[in-house]
Structure formats: C-alpha cells, structure tokens
Amino acid sequence: MKRVAPLALLLTAACGAGPGPEAVPAASVLRLQPANEAAVLDLVNYPGTDLDVLANLVGLDASAAYNILAQRNGVDGLSPSTDDVYFATIADLAAVPSVDDGALTRLETYALAHPAPRGEVVEGVSFRGWESEAVVWGVNQADLATLDALLDVRAANGLVATRPFASVAQMGPVAYVGPTALGQLRGHALPWWNALRGVNFLAGTFDGVTFDEATARVAIEIANQASFLQLTRHGLTTSPANYLIAARPYATLAQVAAVYGVGPATMAALRSYAQSGAWGAPETCISDFEAAVGPYLADVLFLSESDRPFELVSYPGAGASAPTAASVLALVGAPAGSTAELRQVYNYYRAFEPSSNTADPSAATAIRAAFDGQLTDVIYVAVFAPPGSPDTAVVQVYLVGRTACGDLVGIRSIAIET
C-alpha cells in the first residue's frame, strides 16, 4: 500500500525526545454502529497498531496519531506492557486531543477493511486480541517442555496432541485445559508476543547483574523450568530457589528480580547457570553416582544372618521430592501386601563388611563418600514380604537418595531376619 507521508517528525515524538504535536480538542463524537465501534476499539487497542499504521495507513494527522499512542502506551511508551491504558468506548477515544469526527471516520474505514484481532472470553477467562494472537501462536509452536513448565502435564500433552489451533476458544474443549490453564497461558502472552514480533526486550541489568539477550532467554527458561535440585546445584541457595519456584511463571527477568528473597547473588548465580551450557544438556547424575559406587560394590557385603552382595538401583525422575518409605515401596515393584519401614541410615553403613580377605579396605568409605557428596535426603528403607509369604524372613534393604538432576539412586541388598 502507498505510504503518504514521511515519519521523521512522528518518530521523534514517539521516542520521547520532546512533547508531541500540539493538542487540538476534538469537536464532537461520531456515532458508530456497535459492531463498527468494536472494530475501531480493537484497532486502536491492538499493540501492532503503531505510528506507521495510524499516520501512513489510516491517514491520521501527526497530532491525532501521536496522542492516541501516547495515551494507550502509558508512561513507559511501550505496548504491550503493564501500564497500557486501553480505550473502552468511542467517547474515550474521542476525548484524546486532535481525534475529531474526521479521525474517527478514517479509523472506522480502516478498521472495517483491516480488522485487528478480536478478543475472546474462554471459560470465563478474557483475552485481548493481542493476547489471543500470541497464545495461539505460542501454543502452536512451543515444545512440550515449554508447555509443561506452564501447565499441568496432562493439559500440555493434550494441547500438543490437538494443535494447531486457530483461536483460544478451540483450546477450551481440550482435556484439563480449564480456567487455571487458560489463565496461565494468558500470563505467558507477552513473551510469546515478543517472540512472534521478533522483539528483544529481555536483556538488561537486574539487581546489578547484566544479561545480554541470549543469556536472558536461557535464564528465564531456567527460572521457569529448573527443579529445586538443579537450581541449588548451580549456585542458588535454598530459600531463593524455593521462592523462584513458587512465583512461576516469568515473562521477563525483571519479574524474576522482583521476587521476594531474590537479590544480586541469586541473579548472578542464575546468569552463571545460563552461561555454563549445563541447562538443556543431558543430565549425568545417575551415571556419575554409578561410576563412583559401582567399582566398590564387589568388595562389600551386607551383614545379617546371611551376608549378601549389593546392587545399584536407580529411578530416573523419581527424586523431585524427598523420598519416603511409602514412595520407595511403590517404586521397587514389591508384591502386593508388602510393607516398608524407615530405619536409621547409620545402621546401614554399620552393616558393611569386607567381601573377602583381598577386598579393598577403602570400599565402604568410598561408597559412603559418594552418598554424602552426591545425594541429598538419603534414607534407609526396609521392605517386608506380605504376611503369610514364605519369604517373610527375607527383607529387601535399600539405601537411596536424591540426585541434583531429580533422580532417585542408591544401592540394594537383602537382610535375613528371623
């Protein structure tokens, strides 16, 4: 479409270099049909309607175009952002200096020919036009991990299986996508909008710690998706890690820095983690533990009425929370009716004995060092056969703990107890 006027004066005003064009009061309020009024309001409230659109495509004069954007964009001069002031009625729009009947007529003509995205209300959750556009784009292109960080995993799986979507309304019938999930998707509209438009607003200095754009993007992914163990393994202390997890999700690092308990040390640790290359790399906690313990297992036995060897056990992903006797019982595949109890961890270590006269005398110490150095929340669980079983004297004894990758690992043996 032909451009009808240069934008040098307009762009200077929009960037805040000085006051905008002289304000001229509007003369009257044009009466519009309800559908046309909605189309005009959608147009002026849509963040994609910028100075170029209003001046060169709609054909407004400099004063009207500048003043509309200055009011809509708020103090920060950006849209979308948290201080935007949306126009609710044509009277609100007509109250902007220099927006007269002629300006309203031009806006109406352009809005009907080039409608802006309409808002939606889905299961009671309201989406503005730009939010709907951004969420549809984001859900259609996001990987499962991104959606899983925002939603219940069942909702994330349902959206991935059902996409592509043309509207948020089409997402409503997907299982587990209710008001809570829709609200979470709406809360992520801003970063999706910025990604859709190729806008880079993430870099900056937060709590005195400077992030470039690439590092900021990785840091936000970490803040939204990393487990407690991953965060603490990479330099965050316990309380800030918990606070970060509780306040998810985040669209910007400014939101991360604003979390109670987060300060320069946490932001510096987050930046280091983002720059380390560890985020997104395959986790090796299970193999690290097995490499530290495995070579020594042949040199020790578990002392009971009948000494027995050890074997390694691992349960990937099962260390998201501290283990309990009940959770371990569920993981080990014990027969129905089996029971489990917690015992003192030091008693497990006391039951180590050399497997032979030629066994490595440092084996027990090395195994304990691996548990102490690599695992947290270590517990000793004894699993008993069901009552009436011929194996009631055979007790499965587990020593397990959580890795920094969120797995559960340890060793297992048998105690004969009569």
Side-chain angles (χ1 to χ4, degrees):
M1 182 175 293
K2 183 178 179 181
R3 304 293 172 99
V4 297
L7 290 176
L9 174 62
L10 296 176
L11 292 174
T12 298
C15 292
E22 180 180 355
V24 178
S28 64
V29 179
L30 185 70
R31 293 185 179 275
L32 303 179
Q33 295 295 322
N36 294 6
E37 177 175 346
V40 170
L41 294 174
D42 285 337
L43 175 66
V44 295
N45 287 330
Y46 180 57
T49 300
D50 57 15
L51 209 53
D52 186 24
V53 170
L54 291 179
N56 283 331
L57 302 182
V58 176
L60 301 185
D61 63 34
S63 180
Y66 173 86
N67 291 333
I68 288 172
L69 296 182
Q71 178 159 323
R72 183 197 71 191
N73 293 355
V75 175
D76 65 5
L78 300 173
S79 182
S81 67
T82 56
D83 71 344
D84 289 358
V85 180
Y86 294 104
F87 298 102
T89 66
I90 290 296
D92 292 340
L93 182 58
V96 174
S98 298
V99 177
D100 56 16
D101 284 355
L104 293 173
T105 299
R106 292 185 180 90
L107 288 167
E108 179 185 28
T109 300
Y110 185 84
L112 295 177
H114 306 280
R118 299 296 307 273
E120 301 178 76
V121 178
V122 184
E123 297 195 28
V125 181
S126 297
F127 292 77
R128 294 191 177 277
W130 72 268
E131 291 173 328
S132 178
E133 180 182 25
V135 168
V136 167
W137 179 85
V139 170
N140 282 340
Q141 61 82 39
D143 58 25
L144 180 59
T146 298
L147 294 177
D148 188 22
L150 296 173
L151 309 171
D152 182 293
V153 65
R154 295 167 295 184
N157 282 322
L159 289 171
V160 169
T162 315
R163 65 190 184 189
F165 302 98
S167 67
V168 178
Q170 292 179 355
M171 302 177 196
V174 175
Y176 301 101
V177 178
T180 298
L182 291 166
Q184 290 167 326
L185 291 173
R186 184 182 61 185
H188 204 67
L190 181 56
W192 276 333
W193 168 272
N194 289 336
L196 172 61
R197 296 281 165 163
V199 178
N200 295 331
F201 287 148
L202 301 179
T205 300
F206 310 94
D207 281 340
V209 182
T210 301
F211 293 74
D212 59 31
E213 187 70 23
T215 303
R217 289 188 180 278
V218 177
I220 290 173
E221 287 185 12
I222 292 170
N224 280 325
Q225 300 177 30
S227 68
F228 174 82
L229 291 175
Q230 287 173 314
L231 291 174
T232 53
R233 186 187 189 194
H234 290 278
L236 279 75
T237 54
T238 299
S239 293
N242 280 323
Y243 294 144
L244 279 180
I245 291 170
R248 288 170 173 169
Y250 306 100
T252 66
L253 284 178
Q255 293 175 342
V256 175
V259 173
Y260 173 81
V262 171
T266 300
M267 297 305 293
L270 195 58
R271 181 180 63 183
S272 296
Y273 190 1
Q275 293 174 337
S276 69
W279 178 250
E283 299 282 10
T284 60
C285 296
I286 293 178
S287 58
D288 287 349
F289 177 79
E290 291 177 344
V293 173
Y296 296 101
L297 289 185
D299 293 303
V300 291
L301 296 172
F302 191 88
L303 176 63
S304 68
E305 294 182 25
S306 175
D307 300 342
R308 296 297 181 95
F310 293 92
E311 63 181 358
L312 291 161
V313 293
S314 62
Y315 308 97
S321 58
T324 64
S327 68
V328 171
L329 179 62
L331 285 170
V332 301
S338 298
T339 57
E341 71 174 17
L342 287 179
R343 294 178 173 178
Q344 294 293 330
V345 171
Y346 71 82
N347 284 334
Y348 203 100
Y349 293 128
R350 288 177 60 188
F352 286 171
E353 69 168 5
S355 61
S356 69
N357 292 333
T358 59
D360 185 344
S362 68
T365 301
I367 293 171
R368 182 164 185 173
F371 273 86
D372 292 343
Q374 296 188 27
L375 307 184
T376 59
D377 300 304
V378 175
I379 60 173
Y380 172 10
V381 179
V383 177
F384 303 95
S389 168
D391 297 322
T392 52
V394 179
V395 181
Q396 308 289 330
V397 287
Y398 293 84
L399 188 69
V400 295
R402 304 164 71 189
T403 71
C405 307
D407 308 308
L408 197 68
V409 299
I411 53 178
R412 167 190 171 276
S413 188
I414 292 174
I416 303 299
E417 301 179 1
T418 58

